[in-house]
Amino acid sequence: MNFSAPEPQIETAVTHTEPVAAPSLKQLIKDKAQEIGVDSRVAARIAFCESTYRQFDSQGRVLRGKANPKDVGVFQINEKFHKDQSESLGFDIYTTEGNVDYALWLIKNEGSRHWKWSRGCWS
């Protein structure tokens, strides 16, 4: 008979990760921006300044702003001001694709005014 202790169960947090590396995310932003007629250079610079092309933190959680934790993801979309509108348009700002697509929609329809606080970095 073997009376050894069972292997311990390790619980892991459920996180949403997507295998998009920074260089390919930058290219994704540029490609999508060009498709819809947005200045791809401006869009890519905003994403870099806001998150250094990251949707998730090192723990696999959606990246949140340091100054404002309601800012999320690649483009640091503010939940308070944009969650309802983004959802009504079919964008999930908590995913890489949804965050990028909604940001590009904003830039195309409302300009870059939503990123005025980081303008010194990207303009």
PDB file of all heavy atoms in Angstrom, residues 1 33 79:
ATOM      1  N   MET A   1       0.826  -1.180   0.000  1.00  0.00           N
ATOM      2  CA  MET A   1       0.000   0.000   0.000  1.00  0.00           C
ATOM      3  C   MET A   1       0.872   1.246   0.000  1.00  0.00           C
ATOM      4  O   MET A   1       1.875   1.298   0.676  1.00  0.00           O
ATOM      5  CB  MET A   1      -0.890   0.045   1.230  1.00  0.00           C
ATOM      6  CG  MET A   1      -1.929  -1.009   1.272  1.00  0.00           C
ATOM      7  SD  MET A   1      -2.897  -0.738   2.738  1.00  0.00           S
ATOM      8  CE  MET A   1      -4.475  -1.029   2.111  1.00  0.00           C
ATOM      9  N   ALA A  33      -6.002  50.802 -38.885  1.00  0.00           N
ATOM     10  CA  ALA A  33      -6.162  52.244 -39.071  1.00  0.00           C
ATOM     11  C   ALA A  33      -6.219  52.584 -40.560  1.00  0.00           C
ATOM     12  O   ALA A  33      -7.083  53.352 -40.999  1.00  0.00           O
ATOM     13  CB  ALA A  33      -5.027  52.991 -38.384  1.00  0.00           C
ATOM     14  N   GLU A  79     -13.404  53.557 -18.809  1.00  0.00           N
ATOM     15  CA  GLU A  79     -14.663  52.830 -18.609  1.00  0.00           C
ATOM     16  C   GLU A  79     -15.827  53.768 -18.310  1.00  0.00           C
ATOM     17  O   GLU A  79     -16.931  53.574 -18.817  1.00  0.00           O
ATOM     18  CB  GLU A  79     -14.535  51.857 -17.431  1.00  0.00           C
ATOM     19  CG  GLU A  79     -13.588  50.727 -17.644  1.00  0.00           C
ATOM     20  CD  GLU A  79     -13.288  49.995 -16.356  1.00  0.00           C
ATOM     21  OE1 GLU A  79     -13.000  50.643 -15.320  1.00  0.00           O
ATOM     22  OE2 GLU A  79     -13.336  48.752 -16.390  1.00  0.00           O
TER      23      GLU A  79
END
